[in-house]
């Protein structure tokens, strides 16, 4: 069982990271649906706004109560996030609560946090509310994939990308369910690395598929990342722990640089693609998150 301090800190950090990821998934779904799916668009927007409200609620509590490692990792927000939100919102017409990003850019680390009994009780209740909403979000995403697979709905998102965001949602739900018992998920090294190496490889696949055919160098680089992550996943059980962690870290450092350059290129309108700038920043933050996990391992 986690101590009170570790429970509060891990809950705050996990919720801040995953709530943003989840609400952006809903944004991408909302903006990829056709006008005929107005009711589903409204549901996606409603769920997105519910997650934004939860983020605004927890941000004041998180200030000075989360670690400097999480803040400095840029997994919660990057220097590109606010601009990516502004441009993507303007291009799509869909709303994004940018006050959240502005507040996250001002977050401080855990120098003066009072990990009180009151705060612990509040976080227990908050996690429970998030769990309930995330179960609804998972059902919504699974419905989208099912209806798309049965040709009952059209959305400009790959089925594999829908499966990808469902896997991430299930991971978040697993974390929330463990936190009910004041524990964290326990995985083998290969389970942990393979999950995130698979996620990173799929990011590269999606980038490759959404780049204009004329972007040959960027597409070749993405294809190479896909291959290298597939090799890591296959070799995990045969490779020494230290070698596996080091190779995963090195490759993820490279893909972080690739995603950083891509995000900047999308913001500056220098890359031909159908990738919204916010998606570039989204996958960059996930790489930053994985790098911090690898450092902890």
């Amino acid at each position: 069982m986690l101590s009170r301090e570790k429970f509060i800190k891990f809950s705050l950090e996990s919720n801040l990271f995953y709530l943003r990821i989840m609400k952006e998934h809903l944004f991408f779904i909302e903006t990829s649906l056709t006008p005929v799916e107005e009711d589903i668009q409204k549901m996606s927007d409603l769920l997105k706004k519910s997650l934004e409200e939860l983020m605004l609620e927890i941000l004041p509590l998180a200030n000075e109560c989360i670690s400097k490692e999480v803040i400095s990792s840029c997994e919660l927000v990057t220097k590109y996030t606010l601009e990516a939100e502004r441009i993507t919102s303007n291009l799509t017409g869909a709303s994004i609560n940018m006050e959240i990003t502005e507040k996250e850019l001002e977050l401080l680390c855990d120098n003066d946090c009072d990990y009180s009994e009151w705060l612990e009780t509040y976080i227990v209740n908050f996690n429970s509310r998030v769990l309930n909403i995330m179960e609804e979000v998972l059902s919504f995403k699974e419905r989208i994939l099912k209806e798309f697979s049965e040709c009952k709905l059209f959305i400009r998102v790959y089925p594999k990308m829908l499966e990808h965001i469902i896997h991430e949602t299930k991971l978040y739900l697993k974390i929330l369910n463990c936190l009910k018992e004041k524990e964290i998920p326990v995985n083998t090294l290969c389970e942990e690395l393979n999950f995130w190496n698979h996620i990173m490889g799929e990011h590269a696949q999606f980038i490759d598929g959404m780049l204009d055919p004329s972007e040959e160098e960027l597409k070749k680089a993405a294809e190479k990342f896909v291959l290298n992550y597939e090799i890591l996943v296959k070799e995990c059980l045969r490779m020494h722990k230290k070698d596996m962690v080091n190779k995963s870290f090195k490759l993820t450092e490279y893909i972080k640089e690739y995603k950083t350059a891509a995000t900047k290129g999308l913001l500056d309108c220098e890359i031909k693609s159908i990738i919204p700038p916010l998606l570039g920043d989204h996958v960059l933050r996930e790489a930053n998150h994985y790098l911090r996990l690898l450092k902890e391992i």
Side-chain angles (χ1 to χ4, degrees), residues 17 26 60 62 65 69 74 118 122 170 186 200 229 243 247 264 270 286:
F17 174 73
L26 293 163
C65 287
E69 288 81 10
C74 295
W118 174 88
Y122 192 99
K170 288 180 177 178
V186 178
M200 294 296 115
Y229 274 112
D243 290 340
K247 286 189 176 184
K264 189 174 185 307
E270 294 175 349
E286 289 193 14

Side-chain angles (χ1 to χ4, degrees), residues 3 12 32 56-57 84 109 120 148 162 269 281:
S3 67
L12 290 169
S32 298
L56 285 171
E57 177 183 342
C109 63
E120 180 183 30
F148 188 25
L162 291 171
C269 199
D281 188 69

Side-chain angles (χ1 to χ4, degrees), residues 3-20:
S3 67
R4 178 188 295 169
E5 178 179 338
K6 288 183 178 179
F7 167 74
I8 292 172
K9 187 178 291 188
F10 184 78
S11 294
L12 290 169
E13 293 169 351
S14 297
N15 283 316
L16 284 178
F17 174 73
Y18 282 104
L19 281 172
R20 175 178 282 277

Side-chain angles (χ1 to χ4, degrees), residues 8-9 12-13 16 55 57-67 71 76 104 107-110 113 115 119 123:
I8 292 172
K9 187 178 291 188
L12 290 169
E13 293 169 351
L16 284 178
M55 291 191 74
E57 177 183 342
I58 203 174
L59 272 167
L61 302 176
N63 198 37
E64 296 187 343
C65 287
I66 60 175
S67 68
I71 293 176
L76 303 181
E104 284 191 310
L107 282 173
L108 300 174
C109 63
D110 58 348
C113 183
Y115 297 101
L119 182 55
I123 295 300

